[in-house]
Amino acid sequence: KAASRSVISAKILATIEEITVAAGDRAEAGDVLVRLNGQEYASRVLQAKEAHAAAAATRSEAELSFNRVKGLHASKVISKQEYDASFRSLEVAKAEEERTLQEIAEAEVMASYTTIVAPKSGRIIDRLAEPGDTATPGVPLLVLYDATSLRLEAPVLEHLAVQLKVGAEIKVYIDSLEKTFDGTIDEIVP
């Protein structure tokens, strides 16, 4: 079996638009495997950008207002309370603008989840979904198998297994190849 086997699943709930691979296909790390419907997530990015534009305009207006109030306060035309209120409005507007920047970043990350790429190179050994299906977070869509990391897994009788130690060198005979190979025990599972 492959020591390295990846189960590919979605991080978001969305309809599968395209699966670019079939069982048996080779995939390289970074290859696009699945495309999910991203309209909802693209819309969220646009909404976040519009909210940011509004927050930036509010901050700009608050800055202009504060600069006027600051001058009037320096001339002792307005009270300290009015100055403080204008300063607070400016700080709130700055915080709101920063919050909308974080909303954009979050929406872009969610939108990026609509494209699922191969985490590493390998062969697709199982395709568990089809276009039109709904991808659910954590539910497998594909299984990627790294054939360069093959290892032998074998059941061993308990009275023999107690003699084995992790790290021990052993000889492995493969019947179909009629060859013996050197091996190392890397794991013992009771």
Side-chain angles (χ1 to χ4, degrees):
K1 290 186 178 177
S4 178
R5 182 175 170 263
S6 299
V7 176
I8 310 297
S9 62
K11 291 184 179 181
I12 58 173
L13 180 68
T15 302
I16 299 170
E17 286 188 343
E18 178 185 19
I19 298 179
T20 63
V21 293
D25 288 353
R26 176 110 181 109
E28 298 301 322
D31 285 355
V32 174
L33 302 176
V34 180
R35 284 190 180 85
L36 304 175
N37 183 313
Q39 290 176 338
E40 176 186 348
Y41 298 98
S43 177
R44 288 182 188 180
V45 170
L46 289 175
Q47 288 173 7
K49 287 181 177 179
E50 291 300 321
H52 175 68
T58 302
R59 190 243 335 122
S60 180
E61 182 182 342
E63 273 181 352
L64 290 172
S65 178
F66 176 71
N67 287 334
R68 281 192 298 272
V69 167
K70 187 166 62 170
L72 293 172
H73 182 260
S75 303
K76 307 255 189 244
V77 175
I78 62 167
S79 70
K80 173 83 166 116
Q81 182 180 1
E82 289 173 292
Y83 171 85
D84 289 345
S86 181
F87 179 75
R88 186 189 77 247
S89 293
L90 174 60
E91 291 302 306
V92 167
K94 285 179 181 177
E96 179 64 13
E97 184 179 25
E98 183 58 35
R99 185 188 65 75
T100 60
L101 282 173
Q102 297 307 316
E103 280 183 353
I104 291 171
E106 178 183 8
E108 287 174 342
V109 166
M110 294 300 290
S112 75
Y113 294 155
T114 62
T115 301
I116 301 172
V117 299
K120 57 188 166 192
S121 297
R123 186 162 309 281
I124 302 299
I125 60 166
D126 214 351
R127 179 171 158 163
L128 306 166
E130 294 299 326
D133 290 352
T134 299
T136 304
V139 175
L141 303 174
L142 302 166
V143 178
L144 181 70
Y145 173 91
D146 182 4
T148 62
S149 67
L150 291 177
R151 69 179 186 176
L152 175 67
E153 293 183 6
V156 178
L157 296 173
E158 191 174 337
H159 73 279
L160 297 173
V162 294
Q163 300 170 22
L164 301 176
K165 301 283 183 241
V166 173
E169 297 291 323
I170 58 170
K171 296 288 184 191
V172 178
Y173 180 74
I174 308 292
D175 294 339
S176 60
L177 299 176
E178 296 183 359
K179 286 190 177 181
T180 300
F181 298 92
D182 291 328
T184 304
I185 299 173
D186 71 338
E187 185 177 24
I188 298 173
V189 179

